[in-house]
Amino acid sequence: MLKQFVSVMPGVLGPALLVMSLSVVFSVGEGRRRPRSHGWRLWGLVLGMAAAVVFAALRATAVVNQRTFVNYPVLMVLAVVDPAVIVAVAASTRIVREWRSRRWLVGLANALSAIMIALTVFFAVPDVILELTIWVEPGDPVFTSDMLLRASGFVLGIGLSIVVAAIFRTLWSTPRVRVWFVGAAAVLVAIIWMQHLTALLQIIQARDPSFPMRLFVVLAWSINHNDWLIMAQALVFLFPAGFSLLVGIRHPPAVPSAVPSGDGRRVDAGEDGLVGAGHARARIVRARRRHAIVSAVWSACAMVMVVLTLTVGVARSTEVINLSPPEKYSLSQGVATITFAQVDDGHLHRFEYTAKDGTVMRFIIIKKNGGAYGVGLDACENCGDAGYYEKDGKIICKRCEVAINLATIGFKGGCNPIPFDYTTQNGRIVIQTSVLDALSSHFQ
């Protein structure tokens, strides 16, 4: 689940933030007052998504086994369109304000935005869609606990990206923050442009053996720090979020203590300092201040979530869990014996046995809280022979990362180790190797 989540979220976050930002900064008018080009960005998203689905399907079915010949022209166009969009975003305030007198300019901005959205989605989303192909391992049933966990990670990755974009969008509602929001949007597009250039240079470098060494050093840095660039896509909204917080905290509404009455006298305005319509205005101002603070706080939470996903989440998902080495035990005349003293410490102990058919098997023993012993194969019916490891006093399945209830080890069901028959006598656990031989298929 975690591996699926950290694979999907970075691929969707950039396009989601791009669509949100361009839709906000180039939003003009309402209803019939909008220019005809206002829907081009939506069409760019729809066409880019549809093309991404088709391209991903062709790659999944091996109809297309190389994506370079498609990505190369796409990235070449983006290398030109992206900087034009940066300029348009930087000038978006003036473009929106004067759109009635310069309709061609807002149309050009929307056209450039639509092209960038379509090609960015087409470039980024196929890899996300292809994550669907690893939901089910070859030969496994379709509906398994592993499949459900992978599906959950996939949905959560997409969902978090959309939620983060929606949270950042709320910053636009604070008027004094809009200039900072426009700046953040321009920097966001610049970061995405850098990522597109990196992908383009990768293709060129693979084709050209005389690729300049200095440019190769820059390319290597960008590739190695791609996670930083993805985090930066979210962190650029730190400035509008910080200013939104300042607006909410340090700019209380200016409220007079008295207002003139109808006959020319000055009348105490009461707690809000206003009467009549003034009270309504004061409530609106207070609501705006609360909104500015809430938007800033939620935006900060969204940034923290993105950073944790790309640092702690990636580290955990790529962490290699090594099973503890097998311990020695007595094996003689078809009988394996392990002394109580060897396994009485309450920790997981792993043992290895080679079956008659040559299969190398593992089994585990742990002393449970009640003094009984949990004995079973180092494998389960759901996750196969992935094995178990001990962490923070818990026994965890290596494949699905489910913590096993210690009391249930030795019983069938769920992700428990597969139990087998054994006896205890004279301070020893006695296992007939014929019992293990009959279970060797679980490690094949």
Side-chain angles (χ1 to χ4, degrees):
M1 177 179 175
L2 180 61
K3 185 177 293 186
Q4 204 80 17
F5 174 74
V6 299
S7 298
V8 170
M9 194 279 287
V12 180
L13 181 63
L17 293 177
L18 177 67
V19 172
M20 179 276 296
S21 298
L22 297 183
S23 298
V24 167
V25 299
F26 293 124
S27 179
V28 176
E30 296 180 359
R32 295 181 178 179
R33 298 176 59 189
R34 290 184 178 183
R36 293 182 178 179
S37 63
H38 80 276
W40 293 355
R41 297 185 305 272
L42 177 60
W43 278 109
L45 175 61
V46 171
L47 292 176
M49 186 64 70
V53 171
V54 173
F55 187 44
L58 293 176
R59 287 174 56 189
T61 54
V63 175
V64 176
N65 53 20
Q66 291 186 351
R67 59 179 183 174
T68 301
F69 79 96
V70 175
N71 285 345
Y72 183 69
V74 168
L75 292 169
M76 288 291 289
V77 175
L78 284 170
V80 177
V81 171
D82 288 357
V85 174
I86 296 174
V87 175
V89 170
S92 61
T93 302
R94 183 174 181 180
I95 292 174
V96 170
R97 185 175 60 246
E98 301 177 357
W99 75 270
R100 288 185 180 83
S101 59
R102 298 182 179 181
R103 290 178 179 269
W104 67 270
L105 195 56
V106 72
L108 178 61
N110 284 328
L112 291 172
S113 299
I115 294 172
M116 183 178 181
I117 289 173
L119 296 182
T120 299
V121 169
F122 175 70
F123 174 73
V125 172
D127 287 338
V128 174
I129 297 175
L130 287 174
E131 291 289 330
L132 296 171
T133 61
I134 62 174
W135 280 16
V136 180
E137 295 288 347
D140 287 352
V142 175
F143 295 103
T144 62
S145 58
D146 283 349
M147 186 278 290
L148 293 176
L149 287 173
R150 294 187 187 106
S152 298
F154 184 89
V155 173
L156 287 174
I158 295 176
L160 177 62
S161 300
I162 296 174
V163 168
V164 168
I167 290 174
F168 289 158
R169 192 191 187 288
T170 62
L171 296 170
W172 182 258
S173 301
T174 304
R176 297 180 182 179
V177 178
R178 291 183 177 180
V179 62
W180 292 93
F181 190 99
V182 170
V187 176
L188 169 68
V189 177
I191 294 172
I192 294 176
W193 180 36
M194 186 183 302
Q195 292 176 310
H196 290 160
L197 287 178
T198 299
L200 178 61
L201 290 175
Q202 279 185 277
I203 297 175
I204 296 175
Q205 188 269 335
R207 293 180 172 183
D208 186 3
S210 62
F211 193 78
M213 179 56 64
R214 291 184 179 180
L215 196 56
F216 178 79
V217 172
V218 176
L219 175 61
W221 182 93
S222 182
I223 295 173
N224 293 333
H225 295 83
N226 185 58
D227 286 347
W228 290 16
L229 295 177
I230 297 173
M231 284 188 283
Q233 292 174 355
L235 293 177
V236 294
F237 291 93
L238 180 64
F239 295 100
F243 199 77
S244 180
L245 185 63
L246 291 177
V247 168
I249 294 176
R250 300 183 60 183
H251 294 274
V255 179
S257 60
V259 296
S261 64
D263 56 6
R265 295 177 300 168
R266 298 191 65 78
V267 180
D268 182 20
E271 181 181 356
D272 288 331
L274 295 172
V275 294
H279 283 288
R281 180 181 179 279
R283 287 194 296 271
I284 293 174
V285 172
R286 285 196 296 270
R288 287 177 177 174
R289 292 180 60 210
R290 286 195 299 269
H291 174 81
I293 294 174
V294 171
S295 295
V297 171
W298 276 106
S299 295
C301 292
M303 294 176 208
V304 170
M305 182 61 72
V306 171
V307 171
L308 288 178
T309 298
L310 295 172
T311 52
V312 178
V314 170
R316 288 292 301 275
S317 66
T318 57
E319 180 182 8
V320 178
I321 303 296
N322 294 317
L323 299 178
S324 60
E327 302 178 22
K328 295 181 179 180
Y329 63 98
S330 175
L331 181 62
S332 176
Q333 297 181 354
V335 178
T337 57
I338 297 97
T339 63
F340 288 170
Q342 187 175 353
V343 294
D344 267 355
D345 57 4
H347 292 291
L348 179 70
H349 295 267
R350 194 182 326 275
F351 304 91
E352 191 173 271
Y353 169 72
T354 302
K356 284 187 176 180
D357 61 5
T359 302
V360 177
M361 306 174 59
R362 301 185 310 274
F363 61 95
I364 58 175
I365 300 176
I366 185 170
K367 186 176 183 179
K368 299 189 285 188
N369 295 332
Y373 293 91
V375 180
L377 297 182
D378 195 20
C380 77
E381 298 287 357
N382 294 334
C383 300
D385 61 353
Y388 301 86
Y389 64 94
E390 184 177 355
K391 182 177 181 181
D392 301 328
K394 298 178 180 179
I395 306 303
I396 301 173
C397 175
K398 182 180 178 181
R399 177 163 297 174
C400 67
E401 299 183 352
V402 169
I404 309 302
N405 185 348
L406 193 62
T408 64
I409 295 179
F411 298 92
K412 294 181 178 181
C415 203
N416 286 334
I418 298 171
F420 56 83
D421 294 332
Y422 69 96
T423 59
T424 58
Q425 56 186 28
N426 300 325
R428 298 180 179 182
I429 297 173
V430 179
I431 304 170
Q432 301 295 326
T433 57
S434 59
V435 174
L436 297 176
D437 292 334
L439 299 172
S440 65
S441 60
H442 292 286
F443 291 87
Q444 294 175 354

